[in-house]
Amino acid sequence: MNSQTKTVSIRLKNLCKSYVEGGQPHVILRGAGSEIIEGEMVALLGRSGSGKSTLLNLISGIDIADAGEVEIDGKVITSMSDRERTLFRRENIGFVYQFFNLIPTLSVGENLKLVMELNKAGEAEARCKELLDAVGLNDRYDSFPDKLSGGEQQRVAIARALIHKPSIILADEPTGNLDEETAQDIWRLLDTLVRPSGGTILLATHSMAAAKRCDRVLELVGGELHDITGKVD
Ligand code: ADP
Ligand code: MG
């Protein structure tokens, strides 16, 4: 890619976040910054407790930073109102969680269509079938999440994250709760399905094999982000 055509998809500037624990501030992010280019697949490494989930939650706007800026597709989401941020997230971000987070009282089809309905997007039925086909679960449209295996639930969650064609996909240890073989299936799916969608992907993972498949690798250490691309072995 020519440097002049690169568009920044996610720009993080000096992000700071602390939690108060037992009356003491516990600093999680101390000036984390980075730029992720449109279409890049980026791995986010870091020890357990280093703040990976916290960072993904700030990027998605689920949580709010104490200081610093999150800019997505040129929009500064840290300056938005709660309402604006929620709407922005619904339209522009797809999130895949470690524990899938499907709504247990809704069928697979209803879980997928909910995203489209919240966005008042048309073609929900057609998109739903298209995505279930893509993840190999078109026969599970009417099933409830608790009738599916962990791997199947994560495939539904990936379909849900993609159904509204978000420009950014965030995944928080998407295979952290799956056995090795099922995890491989999910990585293959992320490669074959998510990557060609043209969206930007940031995924928190402990898997070095997964990190090596990515264009770039960032590591959270001491509350700061370091680019360690090429240094992973
Ligand atoms: P990671 O995803 O890298 O394992 P997290 O972002 O979940 O790390 O957590 C980073 C640190 O912040 C941990 O010490 C965790 O206990 C703390 N933490 C996360 N969320 C909260 C919260 N809502 N309230 C208090 N502490 C929190
Ligand atoms: Mg986490």
Side-chain angles (χ1 to χ4, degrees):
M1 205 190 298
N2 177 318
S3 64
Q4 276 147 7
T5 62
K6 282 185 183 174
T7 308
V8 176
S9 168
I10 304 173
R11 181 179 276 124
L12 310 175
K13 281 192 216 160
N14 199 25
L15 272 185
C16 298
K17 181 75 182 175
S18 302
Y19 291 112
V20 178
E21 246 178 37
Q24 295 290 324
H26 181 39
V27 181
I28 313 299
L29 301 176
R30 50 180 94 231
S34 194
E35 284 184 359
I36 296 174
I37 305 301
E38 201 174 83
E40 266 189 328
M41 184 164 181
V42 178
L44 176 61
L45 297 179
R47 296 174 63 160
S48 183
S50 60
K52 300 182 297 298
S53 297
T54 301
L55 184 69
L56 293 180
N57 289 341
L58 295 182
I59 296 171
S60 72
I62 292 170
D63 202 357
I64 302 167
D66 300 332
E69 223 173 77
V70 176
E71 186 184 306
I72 295 179
D73 295 339
K75 312 262 181 354
V76 180
I77 67 158
T78 32
S79 304
M80 291 180 183
S81 67
D82 287 352
R83 174 87 189 136
E84 285 170 330
R85 226 179 22 253
T86 300
L87 292 177
F88 185 84
R89 175 170 64 246
R90 268 188 206 155
E91 281 181 22
N92 299 286
I93 293 176
F95 211 119
V96 183
Y97 300 87
Q98 178 174 351
F99 296 102
F100 327 132
N101 283 14
L102 298 171
I103 298 175
T105 52
L106 298 182
S107 70
V108 164
E110 288 164 344
N111 263 282
L112 294 190
K113 286 187 290 185
L114 181 63
V115 180
M116 301 294 276
E117 282 154 16
L118 287 171
N119 279 330
K120 300 187 173 54
E123 308 283 324
E125 200 64 50
R127 268 302 275 168
C128 177
K129 296 212 160 114
E130 193 182 324
L131 264 303
L132 280 182
D133 253 354
V135 299
L137 290 174
N138 53 8
D139 56 338
R140 297 302 216 149
Y141 185 91
D142 290 317
S143 300
F144 283 84
D146 66 352
K147 297 289 181 290
L148 306 180
S149 69
E152 287 171 334
Q153 288 187 57
Q154 196 58 304
R155 278 148 71 190
V156 174
I158 290 172
R160 178 183 59 180
L162 294 177
I163 195 163
H164 55 306
K165 302 183 179 166
S167 59
I168 298 193
I169 293 114
L170 303 173
D172 194 354
E173 301 194 36
T175 59
N177 200 36
L178 301 172
D179 63 74
E180 190 50 41
E181 205 174 320
T182 312
Q184 289 299 328
D185 289 344
I186 295 294
W187 286 122
R188 263 193 294 277
L189 200 59
L190 288 169
D191 260 349
T192 57
L193 192 62
V194 181
R195 226 155 147 62
S197 73
T200 306
I201 310 166
L202 177 61
L203 45 95
T205 181
H206 286 289
S207 162
M208 289 299 161
K212 281 192 205 154
R213 290 182 176 196
C214 293
D215 303 313
R216 246 168 6 107
V217 183
L218 300 177
E219 186 176 27
L220 253 181
V221 184
E224 292 176 358
L225 273 173
H226 300 273
D227 192 321
I228 58 160
T229 312
K231 296 182 189 150
V232 181
D233 48 34

